[in-house]
Amino acid sequence: MNNTNREFKFFWVVALRSEANALIKKFNLKSFSNHCNFPIYINRKNGHALVISGVGSIKSAVATMYLNKTFNPGQVVAWINIGIAGHFQGPVGTLFQVIKVVNNDNGKSFFPGLRFPKLAKAAELYTVSSPENEFTLPVLYDMEAAGFCEIAPSLSCNELTFVLKIVSDTSEQSQSLITKKMIADLFNKNSDMIDNLLQAVVKIVDRERARLGDPIEMDGIMCSLHFTETNRLRFRKIYKKWWCLFPNKSLADRAKKASSAHDLMQSMELDIATEAQTWKLK
Amino acid sequence: MIETVFVESQIIDHPITKRVLSCLPKADLLNINRYQELFNKRQQNFRLQKEKPALILAKKHDNFVLPAPSGFGMDSQKNFYFSHMYNCIYDCRYCFLQGMYSSANYLLFVNFEDFFRSISETIQNNAGSSLTFFSGYDCDSLAFEKITSFAQHTLSFFKEHPEVEFELRTKSVNIETLLNLEPISNCVVAFSLSPESVADVLDKKAPRVNKRIRAIKKLAKSGWLVGLRLDPLIFCENWRGLYSELIEEIMADLEITNLHSVSFGPLRYPKKMYNTIAALYPEEKLFAFPMQTNGQLVSYGPEIENEMATYIQDELKKYLGADRIFQCLI
Ligand code: SF4
């Protein structure tokens, strides 16, 4: 049995309160906790959880770990770092899907997310430790994504780790012009694009959960019979094969009649062996 | 279609890089230092990545030519293979590449010239032995031809080395390159095949078997040596009938003098690889079969393997001599 929390599908890590506010409003999130300087907001109904990390790569990494520890969501959730970023060119307000993140301090690179080329433009991003004004490279600049990417893929997987950045300043339009209102406007402007991306992401999450999840009746059966730890693993393995062959059959009744876990597994193996005589590939 | 291309900075000006990029004008292009930073990353989800693989263009630095695993290949004294690419545009459910690499991205090594230099050295170092070189072990040799022109380069190279044999293994029906060339007497174009109804279920994204058979016949007719690779043999209801039909269909009107060889091999995996692949596709019936584990090897077991091997061999002998029939056991 696992104790992972499957209510949530989207875990947001944002640096600034004003970025968070846009999402809190959009997803109707409620305050969940405010410990360790990492305020968390959630909405169990629509499956969103958000943490405000504060500025900086290390804070972003720690906040990601903290959010994961708080909810233990298991491996099949999307981790999303969204925020404003500087860009060499702009225009201000453009949302990019970041497909390469470079930690400017140590040169380490990350390649987050399945790509959605029809939904957002791709970009490379440099995470820097102090605000960037020069924009020497044709990339985005932020101060968090590398820290987030250091942690998030290990909690879920690289393909379900996303970095989305909205251009807030360029060499032409200085950072000093950024206000809370401007950030809210930037998020509002991209609201539909964010929705479209989430629709694409949730399809993947649902599909992966169906693929990797255990059959519903499995936990019940494991409670009703005595399984040693080794037998649990064996049962899980056999059951997945059995379920693949007999997706419309239920094992619950047979489990009730079985005298032991061993007995049940033997009967399942017999089913599979019998099926093998006339093996159909579909 | 390929939507994202990562290119190692050091080969950005290589002619093959330029050629590939010119074929993919709409793809997003990003520079990387070394392909390992992307291809070998941990925590990649192979199955999700396989839905939209990116292309990585890189330079290979060593191990251009490797000895083929024992049991691979026909009757040469020495077999070698080389892989200009890792991963494949097709998605055969039994493909061992799924358990071999953590990434499903296509990795193309553009420095073909270094492969050819290394093959030349191998030929020199083994003068006097009968050698066969195989391509298509870690990818499909022809599937990417329109973009890479790999086969064209490689065939020209081996044309200059008639003392060795070269096998290009494929499921692709992109045979224009070959048809536009004069057949090369030491080059074999070997097609992997399964019965149509098996391939329809398992050879995902690969050309249909009837198209492959048509391509084989066309090539043989135009003078190319062709090979048939019934590998892996898939056990299923009525497998005898299905394989007999397949063999009959191939042999009908095939220019049999240009049939170089037919080989067949069982479905076998190292245990760890099998577990990795089976975990990727828990809903796949192929991996629900009660396979047997013998030491570190997972297979249908000797009973099924032997029965299939004997049957296939007997069927093939109806059409050609035993000297052209081989069993591969890797
Ligand atoms: S064609 Fe060969 S390399 Fe490609 S997916 Fe199929 S088995 Fe794998």
Side-chain angles (χ1 to χ4, degrees), chain B residues 50 87-92 94-97 136-140 170-171 192 204 206:
Chain B
K50 187 75 189 171
N87 283 327
C88 180
I89 61 169
Y90 305 139
D91 191 14
C92 306
Y94 47 78
C95 181
F96 74 94
L97 296 176
Y137 186 68
D138 293 310
C139 65
D140 185 289
T170 190
K171 282 192 181 116
S192 304
K204 297 180 196 293

Side-chain angles (χ1 to χ4, degrees), chain A residues 24-35:
Chain A
I24 289 168
K25 198 169 155 202
K26 181 173 174 60
F27 301 120
N28 195 20
L29 308 181
K30 302 282 179 264
S31 173
F32 174 79
S33 65
N34 193 0
H35 306 304

